[in-house]
Structures are given as C-alpha cells and as structure tokens.
Amino acid sequence: MTIKRVAIVGLGLLGGSLGLALKEYCPDIVTTGYDSDPETRRRAAERGLAGTICESASGAVAEADLVVMCVPVGAMGAVATEIADALPRQAIVSDVGSSKASIHAAISAALPEHIVIPAHPVAGTEQSGPDAGFASLFQHRWCILTPPDDVPEEAVAALRTLWEALGAEVEIMSAEHHDLVLAVTSHLPHLIAYTIVGTASDLEDVTRGEVIKYSAGGFRDFTRIAASDPTMWRDVFLSNKDAVLEMLQVFSEDLTRLQRAIRRDDGDALFELFSKTRAIRRGIIEMGQDDARPDFGRSDHEG
Ligand code: NAP
C-alpha cells in the first residue's frame, strides 16, 4: 500500500505544517487541502500549503489515498460526516488531534466502512492559523499512531512510513493509553499554565504591570503555554475528560503534600522532589526533545 495522494482538511498550524513538510520531504506526493475559512484558503494558496486548495472538503478528498484531518478535536466528527460520500472506499482516514479515543469513536461512527488510523504528532507551538506552519515541525518529534486491532497492517505501515519521511519517530499504542500519557505530559501542564496565568492576572495586591515586569522569574515560561489556542484546548479537555480528571486528582494530592512540607519546614522533602525533577529535565534534553539553551533553541524555528 503506497500513499500517493494526501488530502489535508484544516490548514492551520498542523495542517499547514503537514502540507509544507510533504512538499519538502515527499515531493512526489500530490496534496490537496481544504479549510472552512475562506480567508485561510486564500492564505494557504499564497503560501502553497497544499498543491491544490479546494473549495469543499468533498472536493479535496475525492481522489485521496490518505485524508488527514487537522481541525480542532471537536470538529473531527463533523468533517468525517461531510466527506463520507466523496471519500474513496480504499482511502485511509487519519487525523492529528491531541486526544485519541473520543476522536476515533467520532470518525468511525461517521465512516464505519473505512480504515481509520488516528495519529497524534507530539509537536506544536502556541501559534495557530495558516501563517503558523513550517516544514520542519515534525523533525525529531514523536508521532503516536493508535490503530484499532482490526486495521490492516499494511495500512499502518504505510502511515508509519509517511510520518517517518517527514522526520518524525513513530510509536504505536492504544488510544486509551495515549490519552492517559498525554493527560500528564501535555494536557495537565496546559491546565496548570492556564490556572497560574489566570491567578496572577486576578491578584489584587500585585499589579499586572509588576507581573509582566518581573516575569523572568519563571512566570513567562507558563505564559507561552497559556497563550495556546482557546478553541483547541477547550476541545482537548472536553474530549479527554476522564484521563485529565484522573491525572488532576493525582496532581492535587501531590500539591497538598508539597503544601504540607512547606508548612512543616520539611526542607528534605522539598529537596528530594526538586532533585528528582531536575533529572527528568536532563533526560528530556538527552533524548533530543528539548534544547538546553535558555531560549530552548526556539529562535531557530520561529524567528
Ligand atoms: P489551527 O491552527 O487553529 O488550525 C485548525 C484549522 O481548522 C483552522 O484554520 C480552522 O478554521 C479549521 N477548521 C475548523 N473547523 C473546520 C471544519 N469543519 N472544516 C475545515 N476546516 C476547519 O489549529 P492547530 O493547532 O493546527 O490544531 C489542529 C489539530 O491539531 C487539533 O485537533 C489539535 O488538537 C491538534 N494538535 C495541535 C497541536 C498544537 O500545538 N497546536 C499539536 C498537536 C496536535 P477556523 O479558524 O475558521 O475555525
């Protein structure tokens, strides 16, 4: 099974990056793209995010071997319904959504006869829209595939080969396990960042000007995450509710333990935890998942 024609639905950060990456690393693959926003379609055509920008989702998928839905998580089911009649029977349907079990359920309900292989490239920035994408977004980043048991192995292999060609490292796991892992590595950190930034902006005794002025003390690193797209993150929390709530419970208990250690002047407990977390940071850098430089090397990608 070889993928020769890819349709991308949703031409924002992820869809645009996918289109640009395909153009750069798989130039023989023919791409079509569609976005519901006419202004995004216009900009996508200008930037060449896909070979052909279509006026409808059906038009974009009509000859595809692979469709990748790059829309907000809450819109996946509606897009699947929209393309159902036009989609070739043998086409593989995939997505890039940040949660997996509920997306798989929504897509399969609309496309029960098709091969559906959910995917999540664990790569992104806090930017969104058709100007945000860049071809190297997936380089050296993990892409998690969550194929259901009954999907043909050749289809999984074809999708794996494609993501590897774009520079990603592919891992396969169940949708449920993905949702639990991402709840702790991505969704909970976003929830914490949204909370801290919200709390700081609501304080009465510290002015907003002071919060911004002295942000280098740590706060500004949270603001980067808390600037992420509101639509995307609303949908992520609602679609991965159970795993997020489970991790939030564990987190609340750990926070209570820390509160107790501070109240009791238990320096050993604090030191032990902070030493453990430092080792995790070192592990992330050693695995090439972040950069040791103070700006995390981001200026290389984002200007
Ligand atoms: P984005 O930049 O906002 O792009 C999404 C695009 O989809 C927008 O242009 C949006 O148009 C369009 N769209 C919405 N509903 C549509 C529909 N029914 N049909 C066609 N187009 C539609 O968002 P993104 O960051 O690329 O996120 C897309 C997906 O990637 C999400 O599922 C997210 O969970 C996942 N993801 C994101 C990241 C990240 O860091 N951002 C990382 C990994 C995975 P409008 O703006 O007009 O709504």
PDB file of all heavy atoms in Angstrom, residues 48-62:
ATOM      1  N   GLY A  48       1.279  28.158  -0.453  1.00  0.00           N
ATOM      2  CA  GLY A  48       1.497  26.831  -1.042  1.00  0.00           C
ATOM      3  C   GLY A  48       1.424  25.716  -0.010  1.00  0.00           C
ATOM      4  O   GLY A  48       2.210  24.774  -0.023  1.00  0.00           O
ATOM      5  N   LEU A  49       0.429  25.821   0.905  1.00  0.00           N
ATOM      6  CA  LEU A  49       0.328  24.806   1.963  1.00  0.00           C
ATOM      7  C   LEU A  49      -0.124  23.451   1.419  1.00  0.00           C
ATOM      8  O   LEU A  49       0.086  22.417   2.050  1.00  0.00           O
ATOM      9  CB  LEU A  49      -0.636  25.274   3.067  1.00  0.00           C
ATOM     10  CG  LEU A  49      -0.260  26.589   3.777  1.00  0.00           C
ATOM     11  CD1 LEU A  49      -1.224  26.901   4.903  1.00  0.00           C
ATOM     12  CD2 LEU A  49       1.175  26.532   4.312  1.00  0.00           C
ATOM     13  N   ALA A  50      -0.783  23.469   0.246  1.00  0.00           N
ATOM     14  CA  ALA A  50      -1.112  22.213  -0.458  1.00  0.00           C
ATOM     15  C   ALA A  50      -1.046  22.522  -1.943  1.00  0.00           C
ATOM     16  O   ALA A  50      -1.187  23.687  -2.351  1.00  0.00           O
ATOM     17  CB  ALA A  50      -2.507  21.726  -0.067  1.00  0.00           C
ATOM     18  N   GLY A  51      -0.841  21.469  -2.750  1.00  0.00           N
ATOM     19  CA  GLY A  51      -0.703  21.662  -4.196  1.00  0.00           C
ATOM     20  C   GLY A  51      -1.941  22.315  -4.789  1.00  0.00           C
ATOM     21  O   GLY A  51      -1.860  23.237  -5.598  1.00  0.00           O
ATOM     22  N   THR A  52      -3.118  21.831  -4.368  1.00  0.00           N
ATOM     23  CA  THR A  52      -4.391  22.418  -4.812  1.00  0.00           C
ATOM     24  C   THR A  52      -5.229  22.746  -3.588  1.00  0.00           C
ATOM     25  O   THR A  52      -5.422  21.885  -2.717  1.00  0.00           O
ATOM     26  CB  THR A  52      -5.189  21.411  -5.690  1.00  0.00           C
ATOM     27  OG1 THR A  52      -4.327  20.920  -6.710  1.00  0.00           O
ATOM     28  CG2 THR A  52      -6.419  22.058  -6.300  1.00  0.00           C
ATOM     29  N   ILE A  53      -5.706  23.969  -3.507  1.00  0.00           N
ATOM     30  CA  ILE A  53      -6.621  24.336  -2.418  1.00  0.00           C
ATOM     31  C   ILE A  53      -8.032  24.248  -2.982  1.00  0.00           C
ATOM     32  O   ILE A  53      -8.358  24.909  -3.975  1.00  0.00           O
ATOM     33  CB  ILE A  53      -6.345  25.766  -1.901  1.00  0.00           C
ATOM     34  CG1 ILE A  53      -4.882  25.907  -1.446  1.00  0.00           C
ATOM     35  CG2 ILE A  53      -7.303  26.134  -0.775  1.00  0.00           C
ATOM     36  CD1 ILE A  53      -4.451  25.052  -0.272  1.00  0.00           C
ATOM     37  N   CYS A  54      -8.850  23.396  -2.369  1.00  0.00           N
ATOM     38  CA  CYS A  54     -10.196  23.129  -2.899  1.00  0.00           C
ATOM     39  C   CYS A  54     -11.245  23.972  -2.196  1.00  0.00           C
ATOM     40  O   CYS A  54     -11.017  24.468  -1.086  1.00  0.00           O
ATOM     41  CB  CYS A  54     -10.519  21.650  -2.740  1.00  0.00           C
ATOM     42  SG  CYS A  54      -9.304  20.601  -3.574  1.00  0.00           S
ATOM     43  N   GLU A  55     -12.396  24.084  -2.817  1.00  0.00           N
ATOM     44  CA  GLU A  55     -13.490  24.905  -2.280  1.00  0.00           C
ATOM     45  C   GLU A  55     -14.425  24.109  -1.381  1.00  0.00           C
ATOM     46  O   GLU A  55     -15.382  24.640  -0.831  1.00  0.00           O
ATOM     47  CB  GLU A  55     -14.279  25.547  -3.427  1.00  0.00           C
ATOM     48  CG  GLU A  55     -13.521  26.676  -4.119  1.00  0.00           C
ATOM     49  CD  GLU A  55     -13.151  27.825  -3.167  1.00  0.00           C
ATOM     50  OE1 GLU A  55     -14.062  28.387  -2.535  1.00  0.00           O
ATOM     51  OE2 GLU A  55     -11.943  28.137  -3.036  1.00  0.00           O
ATOM     52  N   SER A  56     -14.196  22.782  -1.289  1.00  0.00           N
ATOM     53  CA  SER A  56     -15.019  21.968  -0.382  1.00  0.00           C
ATOM     54  C   SER A  56     -14.181  20.813   0.144  1.00  0.00           C
ATOM     55  O   SER A  56     -13.188  20.414  -0.494  1.00  0.00           O
ATOM     56  CB  SER A  56     -16.240  21.402  -1.118  1.00  0.00           C
ATOM     57  OG  SER A  56     -15.807  20.439  -2.070  1.00  0.00           O
ATOM     58  N   ALA A  57     -14.591  20.286   1.302  1.00  0.00           N
ATOM     59  CA  ALA A  57     -13.879  19.134   1.865  1.00  0.00           C
ATOM     60  C   ALA A  57     -14.043  17.938   0.932  1.00  0.00           C
ATOM     61  O   ALA A  57     -13.098  17.178   0.698  1.00  0.00           O
ATOM     62  CB  ALA A  57     -14.429  18.832   3.256  1.00  0.00           C
ATOM     63  N   SER A  58     -15.243  17.789   0.381  1.00  0.00           N
ATOM     64  CA  SER A  58     -15.503  16.662  -0.535  1.00  0.00           C
ATOM     65  C   SER A  58     -14.581  16.736  -1.740  1.00  0.00           C
ATOM     66  O   SER A  58     -14.030  15.720  -2.184  1.00  0.00           O
ATOM     67  CB  SER A  58     -16.948  16.685  -1.018  1.00  0.00           C
ATOM     68  OG  SER A  58     -17.795  16.611   0.081  1.00  0.00           O
ATOM     69  N   GLY A  59     -14.421  17.944  -2.287  1.00  0.00           N
ATOM     70  CA  GLY A  59     -13.539  18.116  -3.441  1.00  0.00           C
ATOM     71  C   GLY A  59     -12.100  17.742  -3.101  1.00  0.00           C
ATOM     72  O   GLY A  59     -11.400  17.117  -3.896  1.00  0.00           O
ATOM     73  N   ALA A  60     -11.684  18.084  -1.898  1.00  0.00           N
ATOM     74  CA  ALA A  60     -10.291  17.809  -1.504  1.00  0.00           C
ATOM     75  C   ALA A  60     -10.016  16.316  -1.362  1.00  0.00           C
ATOM     76  O   ALA A  60      -8.925  15.849  -1.671  1.00  0.00           O
ATOM     77  CB  ALA A  60      -9.976  18.537  -0.194  1.00  0.00           C
ATOM     78  N   VAL A  61     -11.009  15.565  -0.878  1.00  0.00           N
ATOM     79  CA  VAL A  61     -10.748  14.137  -0.578  1.00  0.00           C
ATOM     80  C   VAL A  61     -11.092  13.195  -1.720  1.00  0.00           C
ATOM     81  O   VAL A  61     -10.807  11.998  -1.643  1.00  0.00           O
ATOM     82  CB  VAL A  61     -11.521  13.679   0.690  1.00  0.00           C
ATOM     83  CG1 VAL A  61     -11.226  14.607   1.867  1.00  0.00           C
ATOM     84  CG2 VAL A  61     -13.026  13.582   0.433  1.00  0.00           C
ATOM     85  N   ALA A  62     -11.698  13.714  -2.799  1.00  0.00           N
ATOM     86  CA  ALA A  62     -12.301  12.857  -3.827  1.00  0.00           C
ATOM     87  C   ALA A  62     -11.345  11.825  -4.432  1.00  0.00           C
ATOM     88  O   ALA A  62     -11.778  10.738  -4.806  1.00  0.00           O
ATOM     89  CB  ALA A  62     -12.907  13.724  -4.931  1.00  0.00           C
TER      90      ALA A  62
END
